[in-house]
Amino acid sequence: MKRFKHADELISEREIMIAIPSFVIGVGVLTFSKDMAAVTIAADGWIPILIGGIIAIMITWIVAKLASSFPNQTFLSYASCIVTKPVALVLTFLFAVIASQLAVLQIREIADISKQYIFDRTPVEVIALTFLLVVVYAVAGSRVGLLRLNMMFFPIILVISLLVIVFSLNRFEWNHLFPMLETDFTGYMKGLRSAIFSYVGFGILWFYTVLVKKPKKVPKKAVIGMCIPVGLYLFIYVSIIGVFGNAVTSNLLFPTIELAKGVEIPGEIFERFESVFFTIWIMAIFNTTAMALDICVFALNSIFKNVQKYKILFVLSPLVYANAMYPQDLIEVYTYGTIVGYITFGYTVFVALLLLVVGKLRGVKPIG
């Protein structure tokens, strides 16, 4: 059992609440509207977005409840009590692999998006390397400090998102939302699949709950945290459909950025608001990437306890970069992202069910 003696080594339940939407709201919010519009009619995508959000909230509560039931224990520690240490080691290592792939995906996608909208003459490899170095620098520092960085970045990200929605209302056309409820069952199911993958992020609770001062409050705060991206995704999606319509949205590569490009601030404070939006959104993607890489290091560090954090990062960073450069084009990146989404969601649910069922059968009682 690992105990944290100093207050600086711990975070509040409010900080874990903010960490969840900070992890969820990354590259996915820039593209999810396109995927949703492609399989639904008019604005019917709000239904799978809402249902997927409810499912994500339920899973978030289950994971948070499980993790908070073993206060001051790492995932490896309480998983060892439930499913034996050899199995727990395998589960932890797989979490490290999945977290590294989430970091890989974010790094490659931010490089591709940056090249398209800002650095059109800069090679993708250079953009990705620069971003990775900044992320590695952040992860090499204090883990608690990294999580507290969310408290500074997230309010700015949320305000900019709301500004994009509000200042897009002058282009909003209600007729784009109709006809309603015309999508068939297959369309809703495809939309639900895409929506659920957009909410992947509750897995951070397996590892970061050990840092929370009052773990009993984690389930409630985690649920509130997951509600934020659900509400934001709904507003962004309806705004995009209302402005562009379903057909146009399904053919836009990054609908959310295109929405920001059309924003006009009264008084012409910003002539190109999309530049401000994109700059702020890099902060959101940074949060996601840094936490994904940190969880990978956290998991490996719990397995190899005698290996310093810096050495793990030193070995891990070149592998992450090489993996990020492997996809040859945007189609391969998209396919890779879909696969990672499937695996991340499926594995998190599998681990939750495994620990619940085995813990019940073996009579393992929670400490908290």
Side-chain angles (χ1 to χ4, degrees), residues 89-160:
L89 286 169
V90 174
L91 295 178
T92 305
F93 181 76
L94 290 177
F95 265 125
V97 173
I98 290 172
S100 71
Q101 296 312 296
L102 288 172
V104 163
L105 185 63
Q106 299 292 316
I107 291 168
R108 178 54 188 269
E109 289 192 337
I110 190 60
D112 286 331
I113 296 170
S114 297
K115 181 174 177 61
Q116 180 170 341
Y117 287 96
I118 301 180
F119 310 113
D120 57 331
R121 296 183 182 180
T122 307
V124 170
E125 293 81 2
V126 175
I127 300 172
L129 179 59
T130 304
F131 186 70
L132 175 61
L133 290 175
V134 176
V135 170
V136 168
Y137 179 77
V139 175
S142 166
R143 176 165 291 123
V144 171
L146 181 64
L147 290 171
R148 286 175 179 165
L149 201 60
N150 294 325
M151 300 294 290
M152 180 175 68
F153 285 173
F154 187 71
I156 302 172
I157 295 164
L158 200 58
V159 168
I160 292 296

Side-chain angles (χ1 to χ4, degrees), residues 163-356:
L163 284 177
V164 169
I165 295 170
V166 170
F167 288 113
S168 297
L169 293 178
N170 63 326
R171 297 180 292 145
F172 194 95
E173 297 183 24
W174 289 97
N175 61 298
H176 286 163
L177 305 182
F178 301 95
M180 296 185 69
L181 305 178
E182 293 291 323
T183 304
D184 58 21
F185 180 76
T186 302
Y188 282 128
M189 291 307 296
K190 289 180 179 178
L192 180 60
R193 182 182 61 191
S194 298
I196 288 175
F197 295 155
S198 297
Y199 296 121
V200 168
F202 35 74
I204 66 172
L205 293 166
W206 291 124
F207 295 91
Y208 286 151
T209 301
V210 69
L211 302 174
V212 182
K213 296 175 186 176
K214 300 177 181 178
K216 287 185 178 180
K217 295 184 178 181
V218 169
K220 178 182 177 181
K221 295 295 183 179
V223 166
I224 295 173
M226 184 55 77
C227 287
I228 296 173
V230 174
L232 185 63
Y233 278 27
L234 280 170
F235 282 120
I236 289 176
Y237 174 75
V238 173
S239 298
I240 289 173
I241 296 297
V243 171
F244 298 117
N246 183 280
V248 174
T249 301
S250 64
N251 288 286
L252 292 173
L253 196 57
F254 302 107
T256 310
I257 296 179
E258 297 299 327
L259 184 69
K261 286 176 70 175
V263 169
E264 295 181 1
I265 305 291
E268 297 184 355
I269 300 174
F270 299 111
E271 291 185 3
R272 295 188 61 190
F273 185 77
E274 75 274 11
S275 299
V276 178
F277 171 80
F278 189 72
T279 302
I280 298 301
W281 216 258
I282 289 176
M283 295 162 58
I285 298 168
F286 169 81
N287 286 342
T288 303
T289 311
M291 283 190 283
L293 189 59
D294 182 59
I295 285 173
C296 180
V297 173
F298 201 166
L300 292 175
N301 219 176
S302 65
I303 297 173
F304 307 105
K305 296 181 180 179
N306 296 324
V307 180
Q308 291 182 336
K309 176 181 179 179
Y310 305 103
K311 291 182 179 179
I312 293 176
L313 256 180
F314 182 77
V315 174
L316 196 62
S317 300
L319 297 176
V320 169
Y321 179 73
N323 201 347
M325 293 300 101
Y326 182 77
Q328 300 301 307
D329 50 41
L330 287 175
I331 296 175
E332 288 189 12
V333 173
Y334 180 81
T335 303
Y336 186 72
T338 302
I339 294 171
V340 171
Y342 271 115
I343 294 173
T344 305
F345 179 81
Y347 184 68
T348 304
V349 173
F350 166 75
V351 171
L353 292 175
L354 178 67
L355 296 183
L356 280 171

